[in-house]
Amino acid sequence: MHSTIPSYTTLPYKITESWVLTIISNRPYPRNMSLRRHSKVKRTFSPLGFDIGRLPDDLYASLGSYYYNNRERPHVVHEEWGKHKGVFVNYWEADVNFIQIPWQLKSRWQGRLKELVEAWTGVELETTDMYGMREYTKGARLLTHVDRESTHAASLIVNIAQEDVDRPWTVEVNDHANRLHEVVMKPGDIVYYESAKALHGRNTPLQSGRYINLFTHYRPINDPEWYSRDNPEGTPEPVMDVGECKLVGKLDEYSQGAVQCENSAIGPHLSPTMFQANSALDLYQWWVDVGPKSDDADAEDTIGDKEEL
């Protein structure tokens, strides 16, 4: 690991159960992203709070070629972290790198990507941020969180490239009923998500290789208080009751309809674990269950004890 990455002992917060619960449950903590924050967002844009799509071929080619031509040093640098940016990405355990994008190119991409998100939300939007390209490396994890309410109404994860990734690194998104979905992305895929409303993360560590994403964020034009408003007429109804659900596939079959419910509107991405978050403790236990096992860890797998839908 690069020598400039802070060691465990230099972190501003000790990584413990109470630390994770503090972040998730909205106890006092800088830049906390939490169950309590997500529940105060009233407005929604989509039935599940997320969806998956695909970049237009020409846009994917532009993004991909820029990454390919700038993927090695000196273009790739270690991303600056520390207390001011929080600890939702385990930068002290796995390198997180950054590839800067020229402003002219960023502006061109922003316009094209905003059109895609406007089509998904059915709302005229303004861009509030574009972040990346961010390169994750083996062992990377992202703690479940939500994003800033005033600026992150609708967002995109753009997967630009995957190098030597031999197992899917799923995007974990909780829908409007807090059911966990695990979404597999391929290079060129995009995940739309309501990032101030839908809890999201990647608690399962990246098993190998490099995984490169770009993130973009939007809100309704000139409306930083969008989250406090009721849904306007014509907004898709959130999918809440899906009836009985059962596992018909394997526990490692993601985005393949491994779980089938009476209401097919739930889609193919429901987690094969059928995990549902009802508290901060549930989210903490998920973080533990899917994380790396210590040598003396109990061999018993606790994921099977999760509540079914």
Side-chain angles (χ1 to χ4, degrees):
M1 183 170 294
H2 195 273
S3 60
T4 62
I5 300 297
S7 69
Y8 178 88
T9 56
T10 63
L11 285 174
Y13 301 94
K14 188 176 181 181
I15 310 306
T16 62
E17 175 177 347
S18 61
W19 171 82
V20 176
L21 287 172
T22 294
I23 296 173
I24 293 172
S25 64
N26 202 27
R27 297 172 192 164
Y29 177 83
R31 291 180 175 265
N32 56 60
M33 306 292 187
S34 66
L35 269 173
R36 196 173 301 174
R37 282 182 65 179
H38 109 102
S39 64
K40 83 174 188 179
V41 177
K42 294 174 62 177
R43 186 169 181 184
T44 61
F45 298 91
S46 64
L48 292 173
F50 77 96
D51 203 352
I52 189 167
R54 186 77 184 166
L55 288 172
D57 289 344
D58 65 320
L59 185 54
Y60 176 38
S62 178
L63 286 157
S65 61
Y66 181 80
Y67 166 71
Y68 183 83
N69 290 320
N70 295 277
R71 60 182 175 162
E72 304 295 346
R73 301 189 187 285
H75 309 289
V76 177
V77 297
H78 281 272
E79 186 171 351
E80 294 292 332
W81 286 86
K83 186 174 180 178
H84 68 290
K85 286 184 68 173
V87 285
F88 293 99
V89 179
N90 61 334
Y91 61 89
W92 60 94
E93 295 176 324
D95 286 350
V96 183
N97 300 319
F98 193 83
I99 302 172
Q100 187 67 49
I101 303 167
W103 282 108
Q104 185 176 11
L105 191 56
K106 179 182 286 191
S107 177
R108 188 188 314 161
W109 289 344
Q110 283 175 334
R112 294 289 304 280
L113 293 169
K114 183 166 72 74
E115 293 174 358
L116 299 175
V117 184
E118 286 179 333
W120 180 62
T121 61
V123 175
E124 191 174 3
L125 302 170
E126 61 186 5
T127 303
T128 55
D129 196 14
M130 174 182 278
Y131 196 81
M133 301 174 176
R134 177 185 282 169
E135 178 187 80
Y136 300 98
T137 62
K138 180 180 178 180
R141 306 176 71 188
L142 288 78
L143 188 67
T144 300
H145 64 284
V146 289
D147 295 337
R148 189 180 304 115
E149 296 94 336
S150 61
T151 54
H152 289 50
S155 300
L156 271 185
I157 303 170
V158 182
N159 184 223
I160 296 169
Q162 299 177 29
E163 298 187 3
D164 300 319
V165 174
D166 55 18
R167 292 181 58 185
W169 194 37
T170 58
V171 183
E172 302 167 8
V173 187
N174 290 262
D175 65 22
H176 295 310
N178 288 331
R179 294 170 294 237
L180 178 66
H181 299 250
E182 296 189 79
V183 184
V184 175
M185 298 185 73
K186 303 185 298 295
D189 283 349
I190 52 179
V191 167
Y192 306 93
Y193 63 120
E194 302 176 29
S195 60
K197 176 69 172 174
L199 289 154
H200 56 279
R202 291 183 192 251
N203 290 275
T204 300
L206 176 61
Q207 296 299 308
S208 64
R210 300 191 292 183
Y211 198 103
I212 297 85
N213 282 343
L214 180 72
F215 304 89
T216 62
H217 306 286
Y218 310 87
R219 70 181 177 200
I221 288 181
N222 297 323
D223 191 5
E225 303 294 324
W226 66 270
Y227 58 90
S228 64
R229 310 193 192 287
D230 293 328
N231 285 344
E233 185 176 352
T235 301
E237 287 292 325
V239 174
M240 303 303 290
D241 183 8
V242 295
E244 183 179 354
C245 300
K246 60 182 179 180
L247 180 66
V248 297
K250 299 177 181 179
L251 285 173
D252 61 353
E253 290 181 344
Y254 307 112
S255 294
Q256 299 180 50
V259 177
Q260 290 186 1
C261 301
E262 291 177 338
N263 183 352
S264 61
I266 196 66
H269 305 291
L270 205 58
S271 172
T273 65
M274 294 195 283
F275 170 69
Q276 188 167 7
N278 295 306
S279 68
L281 186 59
D282 289 340
L283 292 175
Y284 167 72
Q285 191 60 53
W286 176 259
W287 179 77
V288 170
D289 287 345
V290 300
K293 307 298 182 186
S294 60
D295 292 339
D296 58 349
D298 188 347
E300 182 179 355
D301 186 354
T302 59
I303 293 179
D305 295 331
K306 297 295 183 184
E307 286 189 43
E308 295 190 358
L309 301 181

